[in-house]
Amino acid sequence: MSLLDEARDLAPELTELRHALHREPEIGLDLPLTQAKILAALEGLGLEIRLGTALSSVTAVLRGGLPGPAVLLRGDMDALPVQEDTGVPYASVLDGRMHACGHDLHVTGLVGAARLLAARRAELAGDVVFMFQPGEEGQGGAQIMIDEGVLDAAGERVVAAYALHVISIGAPTGFAATRPGPMLAASDAVTVTVRGRGGHGSSPHTAADPVPAVCAMVTALQTAVTREIDVFDPAVVTVGMIEAGTAANVIPETARFAATVRSFSDASHAAVRTAFERTVHGVAAAHGVTAEIDYVEQYPPTVNDADEAAFALETARQVLGDGHVFETPKPMAGAEDFSFVLRNVPGAFIGLGACPPGIDPAAAPMNHSPQAVYDDGALPHAAALLAGLALRRLGTPLTPESGASPAPSPQE
């Protein structure tokens, strides 16, 4: 029996857990309902469990029957401030909250992996740390858990870390993809406040109008990115909000805009920030106004270790089958706070298709959409893949799915 077959036997209880999590989504760092469901699901597995203090995390350690290193598997727990519009029978019962990014599947997949691995405790040459993490959607929960010791929860620093993320578009259920190097982008949030001098709309020469200055900044920033950032190490600047004025015939005192900045390396990250700040201040000076920049560096790029990415791809082939795994040719501009984990230990972040049957993956609503729907059928794939990564990294061979061929792990 393959690991995926074992995971499929768990499908009914995994589906029940996922639906319970989906009905009661929680946002941010304080997720007491979600934490309670996780603790109940892990009960009886013989894990060493520690709860977070600055957030409602769960860290669980499975001690293997044989000596060896420790590896980490992560599942994020938090939902989004989105009003669900899916029509599924297990839809959120909490207004304005939804598991629109699929983190309910991540939690459930990690619980499934814990059950699969606990059943194989005797053959594990090492320990497994299960990282159930709140606050991925902008609150930096991963770094808080690192500060609270999750990477050393087994008594020594983990030698590798793995996480997966379900995707509602692009691939059917059970298809996995990753790549060496940058997998996801760094994410910065920037708010610019431009201050001028108000006046009457009929006499702009008596005022210092911040509105045309803001408009010039937005267009100048796009030019700066194309002229100053290496096209082979790109960056994205998107202005998503502009605010100014109260009436058509009033020149306002202030105007402001907010932008997201994405980059894929430390070099481009530094270059785009320098270009952003210089451009904004230069345009402000040219218009006779001033600008205040609130530049918040949120998450660094998520960078896969090359050896661990190759290992993850081969493991996925063995667990899911050759035809269900591919190396993605380029990174995505989304961001992830698993990046903080990968800045401390080698590992890999993996995408897993979860588009339900009967829906065209090319036309399905994307993650974060109020209409985003994820297939319960992806739960065994998530559980088996996470468990397979831990098993192989600790030296336990797998029974491959048909068409897959075994290969050595990075430590062999």
Side-chain angles (χ1 to χ4, degrees), residues 39-47 49 118 121:
L39 292 173
L42 297 177
E43 191 172 354
L45 297 183
L47 307 178
I49 292 178
R121 183 192 313 267

Side-chain angles (χ1 to χ4, degrees), residues 324-405:
H324 287 74
V325 181
F326 61 94
E327 181 176 323
T328 184
K330 58 185 178 181
M332 296 178 288
E336 242 287 349
D337 77 346
F338 192 64
S339 54
F340 293 114
V341 174
L342 295 182
R343 290 220 153 186
N344 286 271
V345 297
F349 188 80
I350 305 145
L352 181 68
C355 183
I359 297 178
D360 180 2
M366 190 176 182
N367 293 42
H368 288 216
S369 166
Q371 293 85 34
V373 179
Y374 303 89
D375 184 14
D376 289 330
L379 297 173
H381 295 86
L385 180 53
L386 288 169
L389 288 163
L391 285 166
R392 286 193 69 234
R393 195 63 177 80
L394 296 177
T396 301
L398 305 181
T399 301
E401 281 292 289
S402 60
S405 56

Side-chain angles (χ1 to χ4, degrees), residues 4 50 62 74 83 85-86 89 138 160 223 225 258 287 295 336 409:
L4 184 55
R50 185 178 69 200
L62 172 64
R74 181 271 220 161
Q83 184 66 42
D85 184 26
T86 62
T223 302
V225 168
H287 283 256
Y295 201 109
E336 242 287 349
S409 77

Side-chain angles (χ1 to χ4, degrees), residues 2-274:
S2 72
L3 195 60
L4 184 55
D5 288 330
E6 292 181 39
R8 286 180 174 131
D9 287 344
L10 299 175
E13 56 194 282
L14 294 180
T15 299
E16 182 179 358
L17 173 59
R18 187 253 163 152
H19 289 186
L21 292 165
H22 194 92
R23 286 189 189 97
E24 295 184 304
E26 296 177 289
I27 296 170
L29 299 172
D30 185 23
L31 316 178
L33 298 175
T34 306
Q35 184 186 63
K37 292 181 179 71
I38 291 168
L39 292 173
L42 297 177
E43 191 172 354
L45 297 183
L47 307 178
E48 299 173 11
I49 292 178
R50 185 178 69 200
L51 305 184
T53 55
L55 73 178
S56 55
S57 61
V58 177
T59 299
V61 179
L62 172 64
R63 299 292 182 184
L66 301 170
V71 297
L72 181 144
L73 305 175
R74 181 271 220 161
D76 40 356
M77 301 159 56
D78 56 324
L80 285 160
V82 172
Q83 184 66 42
E84 182 161 359
D85 184 26
T86 62
V88 297
Y90 52 89
S92 171
V93 298
L94 303 177
D95 285 343
R97 300 181 181 186
M98 176 190 174
H99 270 297
C101 203
H103 294 186
D104 50 334
L105 283 85
H106 302 169
V107 169
T108 306
L110 190 54
V111 167
R115 296 189 182 188
L116 292 170
L117 291 168
R120 297 179 178 224
R121 183 192 313 267
E123 64 191 86
L124 279 178
D127 305 324
V128 183
V129 177
F130 302 97
M131 177 183 178
F132 293 92
Q133 180 216 309
E136 190 280 323
E137 296 287 356
Q139 295 81 26
Q143 185 60 56
I144 298 173
M145 289 192 71
I146 291 170
D147 293 341
E148 293 193 353
V150 69
L151 299 182
D152 304 297
E156 60 183 50
R157 179 59 53 100
V158 296
V159 298
Y162 308 101
L164 59 78
H165 203 300
V166 293
I167 306 169
S168 64
I169 65 169
T173 292
F175 280 75
T178 192
R179 69 187 308 275
M183 181 68 178
L184 293 166
S187 175
D188 300 334
V190 192
T191 301
V192 176
T193 302
V194 179
R195 301 189 185 280
R197 187 172 65 256
H200 198 288
S202 66
S203 304
H205 61 286
T206 65
D209 194 344
V211 173
V214 163
C215 295
M217 289 172 187
V218 172
T219 56
L221 285 169
Q222 304 308 312
T223 302
V225 168
T226 63
R227 299 297 91 188
E228 299 187 39
I229 306 301
D230 186 349
V231 68
F232 296 107
D233 187 11
V236 175
V237 175
T238 295
V239 175
M241 186 276 291
I242 299 177
E243 291 180 343
T246 57
N249 63 346
V250 175
I251 294 174
E253 292 276 335
T254 62
R256 72 187 189 106
F257 67 92
T260 184
V261 180
R262 306 297 169 109
S263 53
F264 297 93
S265 72
D266 290 343
S268 65
H269 182 257
V272 74
R273 177 167 185 169
T274 297

